[in-house]
Amino acid sequence: MSRWSLESWKNFILDQAPGWQDSQDLKKTTNQIRKKPPIVFKDEIKLLKKRLSRVHDGNYFIIQGGDCAETFSDFNGELIKNKLNILLQMSVLLSYKTSLKTIRIGRIAGQFAKPRTNPVEIFNNMEFPSYRGDAINSLDCNLKSRTPNPLRMLEAYNQSVYTLNLIRSIINSGYTNILNANEWDLDFIKQSPQVREYNEIISKIQQTLSFIKTVNRKSENIKNLELYEFFTSHEGLILDYEQALTKYDALDKKYYDHSGHMIWVGDRTRSVNGSHVEFVSGIENPIGIKLGPSIDKYELIEIIKKVNPNNEKGKILLITRFGAQSIEDKLPEIIQLINKHELNVIWMCDPMHGNTFKNDQGIKTRHFNTITKEIELFMKIHKKMKSIAGGIHIEFTSENVTECLGGFQNIENNELLNRYETACDPRLNNQQSLELIFKLNDLIIKGSKDV
Ligand code: PEP
Ligand code: CO
């Protein structure tokens, strides 16, 4: 086996290659990015790993989520703050109801590249290269916009920096302090039946904290609850970009990818002989691996051994996205094989990508009930097999969009186009996201009572 290097991925098969046209522009851009400061820092990556290592013993639960694809146009402070709100609300609800600690990981500050099943899309009877995420081409439908342009990676870098800068400042201002939880509400969810329960929970927590403060003068540090911690993630699809932000740390004698805290490899690029698995096998960051119905379980064992040869805890997150229809067929035998090999992995459920379909009008959507069904089966299977369900991975937005069917608002097919704004896959709106957590809490509580 040849040795890993920053460039060794180039000797492997590159699935979902961006298709850059101009190698001079590519070289110029990656050289520029290489000289830029890190987006995330080594100590933060190590902290995430430390937190993740606790998921294996069942005390922490991961909530990972955000847009399917971030875009350059849909970018402003309010939107970022609102996405942070949702993750916070979900965390508080989950911790309060289930006594589990949470780890928040956004699909944010770097989620700019998309793998595509079809290399072309048809519009007005004309064929165009598919949209591959704003770091590669533009959603606008003309040939020039759809041509992969390496200069866009620079913009993706810049927007990731601005986004994380804002997140850090929101957190430093104390906004994520539970005592400020009344400010996290968004207007439109006030109609939701769960909002009353949510508000009751928040006020109970606040009363308890203020009581502790009254009786214990030294309790200022209750402000520093782990809600202050927030991590970023994206699919490490564009290896030119990931390579440019990966640096050798002479002290640790290890490579860190400074583009985001956690990097995942998508379902279409996780071949053991592929460039993506090769690249992530050399970096220290926690690595997600998406598993769809086409996974070969024996290949998976090879992938895990390659990416995590020391069987470290907190390193590999297996994000299953089989779909509610296939999960019972696929997941149990994979859990069994992983257990047989005694591999340390964190199991997460992505209930979105295996449940996508096109409705009669050709609109890509997902039904809330199918999404929750996959989570339910995921929890049930892990419980039965005595393995730990470690987290969920979802696509949501803070806007009141109408992209996924169902939920309390009961969004129907004829309403989907009212606010269908995603650049790629359909996302849960704010209310559906909260509903999902209520449902998840019930499943976790039910599971623990069934013991
Ligand atoms: C995604 O997470 O947006 C995605 C494309 O997922 P998958 O690789 O699981 O299809
Ligand atoms: Co998606």
Side-chain angles (χ1 to χ4, degrees):
M1 208 170 35
S2 60
R3 263 176 72 84
W4 185 91
S5 76
L6 273 174
E7 300 223 343
S8 59
W9 61 269
K10 293 184 178 166
N11 304 324
F12 290 74
I13 301 159
L14 179 60
D15 293 311
Q16 297 282 332
W20 307 124
Q21 311 278 306
D22 187 325
S23 58
Q24 277 314 311
D25 273 352
L26 176 63
K27 210 164 161 192
K28 198 172 87 193
T29 311
T30 48
N31 278 338
Q32 271 176 302
I33 296 175
R34 189 165 296 119
K35 292 185 197 128
K36 301 256 176 220
I39 301 174
V40 302
F41 300 95
K42 171 181 98 170
D43 288 347
E44 299 166 345
I45 296 171
K46 288 167 111 171
L47 177 66
L48 173 59
K49 228 167 161 181
K50 187 170 148 198
R51 294 282 181 258
L52 290 174
S53 70
R54 301 291 311 279
V55 179
H56 297 267
D57 57 26
N59 292 324
Y60 277 75
F61 195 86
I62 306 160
I63 301 178
Q64 182 177 22
D67 277 305
C68 179
E70 291 175 89
T71 60
F72 298 162
S73 57
D74 216 8
F75 172 54
N76 62 62
E78 206 52 27
L79 212 56
I80 296 167
K81 192 166 164 183
N82 290 343
K83 281 182 205 159
L84 195 63
N85 277 353
I86 298 186
L87 284 168
L88 287 169
Q89 289 172 328
M90 288 176 149
S91 299
V92 170
L93 283 178
L94 195 121
S95 291
Y96 183 80
K97 286 283 203 173
T98 66
S99 302
L100 289 168
K101 291 188 175 211
T102 52
I103 301 170
R104 284 157 300 286
I105 309 179
R107 279 176 71 114
I108 201 165
Q111 177 52 17
F112 291 103
K114 299 308 302 168
R116 301 315 300 259
T117 307
N118 298 321
V120 292
E121 282 170 282
I122 314 274
F123 282 103
N124 299 331
N125 293 327
M126 290 211 324
E127 215 172 64
F128 294 95
S130 289
Y131 171 63
R132 291 179 166 274
D134 272 18
I136 297 177
N137 59 6
S138 155
L139 197 55
D140 296 341
C141 213
N142 62 65
L143 206 54
K144 186 161 181 285
S145 308
R146 287 293 172 101
T147 304
N149 176 0
L151 297 172
R152 299 181 71 90
M153 284 191 284
L154 207 53
E155 176 103 19
Y157 168 88
N158 288 336
Q159 189 165 314
S160 303
V161 172
Y162 303 147
T163 303
L164 196 50
N165 182 44
L166 189 67
I167 291 174
R168 290 187 202 284
S169 104
I170 292 173
I171 291 177
N172 284 338
S173 73
Y175 180 77
T176 58
N177 185 335
I178 184 81
L179 297 171
N180 294 331
N182 319 48
E183 291 173 34
W184 305 344
D185 269 359
L186 294 178
D187 275 348
F188 81 86
I189 62 159
K190 293 218 163 78
Q191 315 134 15
S192 150
Q194 277 122 2
V195 162
R196 219 185 57 211
E197 191 178 349
Y198 171 76
N199 286 336
E200 278 168 18
I201 291 174
I202 293 296
S203 81
K204 276 187 205 154
I205 298 173
Q206 291 179 331
Q207 277 167 17
T208 312
L209 288 178
S210 97
F211 171 70
I212 296 173
K213 240 172 135 180
T214 313
V215 295
N216 176 8
R217 284 165 152 257
K218 290 201 185 99
S219 62
E220 280 84 23
N221 61 358
I222 54 174
K223 288 187 199 150
N224 291 322
L225 300 173
E226 282 171 17
L227 283 176
Y228 273 73
E229 291 176 7
F230 180 84
F231 301 96
T232 64
S233 68
H234 61 267
E235 176 167 354
L237 188 77
I238 312 177
L239 295 178
D240 305 292
Y241 179 81
E242 301 303 330
Q243 182 191 330
L245 284 165
T246 299
K247 302 276 149 53
Y248 182 66
D249 184 89
L251 205 63
D252 291 3
K253 299 191 173 55
K254 284 172 177 159
Y255 286 87
Y256 291 91
D257 185 344
H258 298 278
S259 67
H261 298 114
M262 172 205 161
I263 307 295
W264 79 83
V265 182
D267 189 45
R268 296 164 186 79
T269 51
R270 53 157 165 71
S271 152
V272 70
N273 301 315
S275 297
H276 293 85
V277 169
E278 168 65 12
F279 181 77
V280 299
S281 73
I283 59 175
E284 268 303 290
N285 308 51
I287 301 297
I289 301 166
K290 292 277 209 108
L291 306 181
S294 67
I295 184 69
D296 170 338
K297 60 184 175 181
Y298 301 106
E299 183 182 0
L300 177 62
I301 301 296
E302 284 181 62
I303 297 169
I304 296 171
K305 287 188 172 167
K306 177 166 176 170
V307 179
N308 191 19
N310 299 326
N311 206 15
E312 233 185 305
K313 286 190 173 173
K315 171 75 190 181
I316 300 273
L317 303 100
L318 292 184
I319 308 168
T320 62
R321 31 86 86 221
F322 293 121
Q325 280 206 325
S326 307
I327 185 168
E328 285 171 297
D329 264 1
K330 298 284 172 185
L331 185 56
E333 53 175 320
I334 294 180
I335 299 177
Q336 203 172 32
L337 194 66
I338 298 273
N339 289 349
K340 188 172 147 211
H341 285 261
E342 297 183 357
L343 297 174
N344 289 318
V345 300
I346 293 167
W347 295 101
M348 292 184 71
C349 176
D350 164 357
M352 315 294 294
H353 288 88
N355 296 313
T356 319
F357 67 97
K358 279 194 179 163
N359 73 1
D360 292 348
Q361 299 121 56
I363 306 165
K364 217 201 239 188
T365 188
R366 295 154 170 164
H367 200 292
F368 185 79
N369 292 348
T370 328
I371 293 171
T372 48
K373 182 76 192 166
E374 181 160 0
I375 300 181
E376 185 176 342
L377 292 170
F378 172 84
M379 305 296 288
K380 213 162 111 188
I381 293 166
H382 281 291
K383 169 129 196 356
K384 192 163 164 211
M385 301 194 66
K386 297 193 169 44
S387 84
I388 304 279
I392 53 160
H393 178 118
I394 56 172
E395 289 182 341
F396 72 80
T397 179
S398 52
E399 300 297 283
N400 192 13
V401 297
T402 52
E403 297 170 5
C404 291
L405 298 164
F408 166 73
Q409 292 157 296
N410 196 19
I411 296 172
E412 297 192 26
N413 269 302
N414 61 2
E415 293 166 315
L416 283 177
L417 291 181
N418 291 353
R419 272 198 77 177
Y420 193 93
E421 297 171 5
T422 183
C424 196
D425 289 336
R427 304 157 295 177
L428 296 168
N429 65 26
N430 186 324
Q431 190 163 314
Q432 289 170 327
S433 310
L434 274 195
E435 275 181 83
L436 187 94
I437 289 293
F438 274 98
K439 176 87 189 159
L440 176 65
N441 287 343
D442 290 345
L443 292 169
I444 296 175
I445 293 164
K446 183 172 177 295
S448 61
K449 282 194 188 136
D450 287 351
V451 179

